[in-house]
Amino acid sequence: MIRNHEIDYRIFGEEMQYVEIELDPGETAVAEPGAFMMMDDNIQMETIFGDGSQQQTGGLLGKLFSAGKRLLVGENLFMTAFTNVGHGKKHVSFASPYPGKIVALDLIRLGNRIICQKDAFLCAAKGVSIGIEFQRKLGTGLFGGEGFIMEKLEGDGMAFMHAGGHVFEKELQPGELLRIDTGCIVAFTGSINYDIQFVGGIKNTLFGGEGLFFATLQGPGRVWIQSLPISRLAARILAYGTYQRKEEGSILGGLGNLLDGDGYR
């Protein structure tokens, strides 16, 4: 069996992190377009069709099908491969796209398969397959929204994903159930049972504010959770940017803006 390229790495930063990958001669890392930050000399960049994994060696039709599936999870048809063509160790770095944390995944220790949210993938050792995971349950398909078509990382090498806000890992025991907002799920191992559940009750429906459905994750397995989904952050920024405050007749008037840090524009 052909194994994925073995790579060493270091993660730097707090709120805006980047990962530095160390490549031995001949080793390759692959990343999404736009993730590249910097690299040493004697690293060769090459645009590849798909993810460069062994699953894409079945001719042009197989490559088209495998790469095309990536469009369904918001990824690109093409990726960039970074190969060390020199004689010593070289380094290439990839940056996170927004405030949050980079999560390192050693796939060989995680059952060789991770299911994650769309757009979570950042970079990986060459040989890791990035595809789609269809959730087969009808409830998931109708109401999951973000969760119906998810991203699948397969292989035995290192992969890196990015998530917003604080990210933590939770171990679910056999039969243990976790209810969670769909947007707060970053990833989970292949042994986790994933579904969507209805939140009943007229009070929840009208005034809950959290939507009518949430995800259920049942162990055994590991789950990675984020405190700030990018969709939630974008919605808040959009709402704040389009909100016009009427100051006329206000008791505080411009003082309200000053207290909000919006006094000088």
Side-chain angles (χ1 to χ4, degrees):
M1 182 180 66
I2 300 176
R3 290 197 55 181
N4 301 158
H5 288 201
E6 296 183 10
I7 57 176
D8 298 315
Y9 71 94
R10 289 190 299 171
I11 295 175
F12 296 89
E14 295 297 333
E15 288 79 17
M16 291 296 292
Q17 294 186 325
Y18 72 94
V19 56
E20 178 190 79
I21 293 178
E22 182 179 271
L23 299 175
D24 291 330
E27 285 185 343
T28 301
V30 295
E32 288 292 330
F36 169 72
M37 179 179 172
M38 60 183 176
M39 64 182 179
D40 293 340
D41 193 17
N42 290 324
I43 290 183
Q44 178 178 292
M45 293 178 59
E46 179 187 7
T47 299
I48 59 175
F49 190 65
D51 55 27
S53 68
Q54 296 301 315
Q55 296 185 15
Q56 294 191 333
T57 57
L60 179 60
L61 186 61
K63 290 181 179 180
L64 283 171
F65 179 71
S66 181
K69 291 189 299 183
R70 290 164 37 80
L71 292 177
L72 296 176
V73 290
E75 303 291 6
N76 294 280
L77 280 173
F78 298 91
M79 297 184 71
T80 307
F82 299 81
T83 304
N84 181 0
V85 295
H87 298 291
K89 295 179 181 293
K90 302 295 179 181
H91 301 86
V92 57
S93 299
F94 306 99
S96 55
Y98 53 87
K101 298 295 180 183
I102 293 175
V103 181
L105 303 170
D106 189 353
L107 295 179
I108 199 170
R109 297 174 180 268
L110 297 168
N112 303 103
R113 181 166 165 263
I114 290 290
I115 312 302
C116 57
Q117 282 281 22
K118 297 178 291 184
D119 297 327
F121 173 74
L122 183 66
C123 59
K126 186 178 181 181
V128 172
S129 171
I130 302 100
I132 61 173
E133 175 76 5
F134 283 108
Q135 301 298 330
R136 291 179 291 274
K137 294 189 177 182
L138 183 62
T140 306
L142 289 178
F143 310 118
E146 301 171 51
F148 175 50
I149 299 178
M150 302 186 77
E151 202 163 46
K152 177 172 58 177
L153 306 179
E154 290 182 301
D156 54 19
M158 293 297 303
F160 301 87
M161 58 185 183
H162 178 265
H166 175 65
V167 181
F168 63 97
E169 179 183 336
K170 185 176 179 64
E171 181 85 25
L172 296 183
Q173 300 304 314
E176 184 179 359
L177 190 69
L178 177 68
R179 295 180 173 88
I180 183 173
D181 182 273
T182 55
C184 291
I185 302 172
V186 181
F188 50 87
T189 53
S191 57
I192 292 286
N193 183 25
Y194 174 80
D195 198 7
I196 296 294
Q197 200 170 81
F198 176 69
V199 183
I202 186 67
K203 197 174 291 186
N204 286 333
T205 301
L206 294 180
F207 310 113
E210 299 299 325
L212 302 180
F213 303 91
F214 53 71
T216 60
L217 302 173
Q218 188 172 34
R222 299 189 195 179
V223 181
W224 288 265
I225 300 166
Q226 62 183 349
S227 63
L228 184 60
I230 184 61
S231 57
R232 188 178 297 177
L233 175 62
R236 287 296 182 96
I237 293 175
L238 182 63
Y240 187 83
T242 56
Y243 174 72
Q244 296 294 325
R245 179 184 299 176
K246 294 184 178 179
E247 298 174 355
E248 295 81 2
S250 169
I251 296 176
L252 294 177
L255 180 59
N257 281 344
L258 183 61
L259 294 175
D260 287 342
D262 195 29
Y264 301 97
R265 284 199 292 180

